[in-house]
Amino acid sequence: MPLVPLKQVLDEANKGSYGVGAYNVNNMEQIQALMQGAAETRTPLILQASRGALEYTKMVYLKHLILAAVEDNPDLPVVCHLDHGPNLEVVKQAIALGFTSVMIDGSIDYAQEDEKGAHPPRSFKENIRVTKEACDYAHPLGVSVEGELGTLGGIEDETQAASTQLTNPDQVEQFVSETGVDALAVAIGTSHGAHKFKEAPKLALDLIPKIQERAPETTLVMHGSSSVPQELVKQINAYGGTLEKAMGVPMDQIQAAIKLGIRKINVDTDGRLAFTGGIRQYLVQNPKVFDQRKYLGQGRDAIYQVMKQKMIDFGSAGHAGDYEPKTLEDAKAWYK
Ligand code: G3H
Ligand code: 13P
Ligand code: ZN
């Protein structure tokens, strides 16, 4: 099965009212863990790469790892998606590599940085301009596009916004009609990283139906959706880590968001935590071992356990065989 466009996977998720995880990947072990979870649960899957992941893997390695995943699992629909594309140039690079979907993050200006390395928000008008530019480039090639309206706070290195702005539903209709995005990332109180909340997590879930009402054809995306399981934090700290006051989005709030219409759920941090916890524990418990397959294998297994459960909890399990997958060639017709 070739890689499928994001739009098809999300349209199908809309029909079935379930969420599909979009999991950040940087190396073979993460990809293998996700593929194992998806194969066992019969889940459509979105593998996504940030600009940092593309740099880390010199692009070509990641491309071939994802192609290997598809070759190894020919009966699973898999999307290869660019996460937080900062500009048209990176969008073009991802498409040239064979990505079937791209995010253009026009919500913040990646070319500017404050003293903490955070990026200022772009104006609404500028966001529309860069997002439309990406759609105009990607759609004739059949590639799906995700845009973002509002900004997430957070502490992830590459994607840090200088301030948080929840999505304003009054801007949604104009944004979607002028850009033509297939998917819209909304800011409803989540943030990137392992420190999302200082006290009991509470999302602005009431925004979801207000946004969806103004863009009924566009599929909604939630970034910053890691749950930061406390057992992983404890495991990391028990084996030498120093993660303090880490807190994520509880699964019941994610499931409530899915009920209200969120379909793509971005998860990066939980994979990092699982991998780190598994590796730390293995190395501390096996100080004599220096075979990297042993400890990376332990990290891979930890990711598999955590992500397989998410596939079940998001509701995507069991849906891999629901539809005949489309190619980018098929998708070109959607945008004519
Ligand atoms: O949303 C951002 C992701 O967590 C990517 O992080 O740029 O460090 O790969 P990264
Ligand atoms: P987390 O940091 O919550 O995993 O969010 C990841 C994300 O939104 C990637 O785009
Ligand atoms: Zn994100």
Side-chain angles (χ1 to χ4, degrees):
M1 182 186 291
L3 290 165
V4 300
L6 178 73
K7 180 171 160 50
Q8 182 185 26
V9 168
L10 295 186
D11 285 349
E12 292 292 336
N14 264 325
K15 284 187 212 157
S17 302
Y18 57 87
V20 183
Y23 306 96
N24 284 72
V25 293
N26 301 273
N27 63 25
M28 182 185 76
E29 286 75 13
Q30 285 178 300
I31 295 173
Q32 288 178 324
L34 288 160
M35 295 313 294
Q36 188 186 345
E40 287 177 11
T41 58
R42 305 287 307 134
T43 293
L45 192 61
I46 303 163
L47 297 179
Q48 61 184 15
S50 66
R51 181 177 50 158
L54 291 179
E55 279 165 15
Y56 179 70
T57 59
K58 290 174 137 186
M59 302 201 291
V60 66
Y61 289 87
L62 193 68
K63 165 187 166 168
H64 286 284
L65 288 172
I66 291 176
L67 291 178
V70 173
E71 188 179 324
D72 195 31
N73 296 271
D75 56 346
L76 291 181
V78 180
V79 177
C80 180
H81 175 78
L82 172 69
D83 188 30
H84 292 284
N87 54 43
L88 186 63
E89 192 196 331
V90 177
V91 162
K92 285 183 178 175
Q93 283 173 347
I95 293 175
L97 277 181
F99 280 44
T100 51
S101 177
V102 291
M103 176 185 189
I104 173 78
D105 184 356
S107 70
I108 52 178
D109 185 354
Y110 286 86
Q112 320 273 347
E113 248 180 50
D114 67 13
E115 61 291 346
K116 289 188 198 140
H119 307 295
R122 271 202 170 101
S123 70
F124 181 54
K125 210 172 139 205
E126 261 304 283
N127 190 355
I128 290 182
R129 187 186 65 74
V130 297
T131 307
K132 180 177 175 347
E133 188 179 54
C135 288
D136 289 347
Y137 182 82
H139 283 163
L141 303 169
V143 174
S144 314
V145 180
E146 173 185 336
E148 177 164 329
L149 198 48
T151 57
L152 275 74
I155 50 165
E156 288 320 306
D157 18 7
E158 302 267 333
T159 53
Q160 187 181 180
S163 60
T164 307
Q165 285 172 1
L166 296 186
T167 304
N168 176 355
D170 293 335
Q171 294 183 329
V172 169
E173 202 174 337
Q174 187 185 350
F175 185 80
V176 164
S177 67
E178 290 189 16
T179 60
V181 284
D182 305 284
L184 180 66
V186 296
I188 54 170
T190 63
S191 57
H192 293 123
H195 300 87
K196 302 184 191 301
F197 307 100
K198 292 208 170 67
E199 46 204 47
K202 197 163 165 13
L203 302 184
L205 293 174
D206 58 311
L207 284 180
I208 300 170
K210 292 182 189 152
I211 294 167
Q212 188 76 84
E213 227 165 67
R214 283 144 166 112
E217 304 295 323
T218 309
T219 308
L220 304 185
V221 180
M222 185 162 109
H223 283 243
S225 308
S226 280
S227 296
V228 189
Q230 290 307 299
E231 61 273 20
L232 294 182
V233 174
K234 280 193 195 125
Q235 182 190 31
I236 289 172
N237 289 342
Y239 295 98
T242 54
L243 269 180
E244 274 171 31
K245 297 197 175 115
M247 202 187 289
V249 188
M251 186 52 75
D252 60 351
Q253 294 208 27
I254 298 174
Q255 288 171 329
I258 294 171
K259 269 211 178 92
L260 290 165
I262 294 287
R263 297 289 169 251
K264 175 172 180 276
I265 298 143
N266 280 24
V267 176
D268 184 359
T269 298
D270 283 355
R272 296 178 182 206
L273 293 173
F275 202 47
T276 304
I279 291 172
R280 273 192 180 280
Q281 177 167 353
Y282 188 88
L283 288 174
V284 170
Q285 289 181 339
N286 300 276
K288 292 206 168 89
V289 176
F290 56 91
D291 179 344
Q292 70 271 38
R293 292 169 299 192
K294 294 283 195 299
Y295 56 84
L296 293 180
Q298 194 79 9
R300 177 176 63 189
D301 190 54
I303 298 176
Y304 154 72
Q305 308 281 354
V306 170
M307 299 306 165
K308 181 177 175 182
Q309 189 57 46
K310 285 191 197 292
M311 293 168 192
I312 295 164
D313 293 342
F314 294 164
S316 61
H319 289 287
D322 288 359
Y323 45 94
E324 206 48 55
K326 303 278 188 206
T327 63
L328 290 188
E329 214 39 54
D330 300 325
K332 287 179 183 173
W334 301 336
Y335 304 108
K336 282 204 172 121

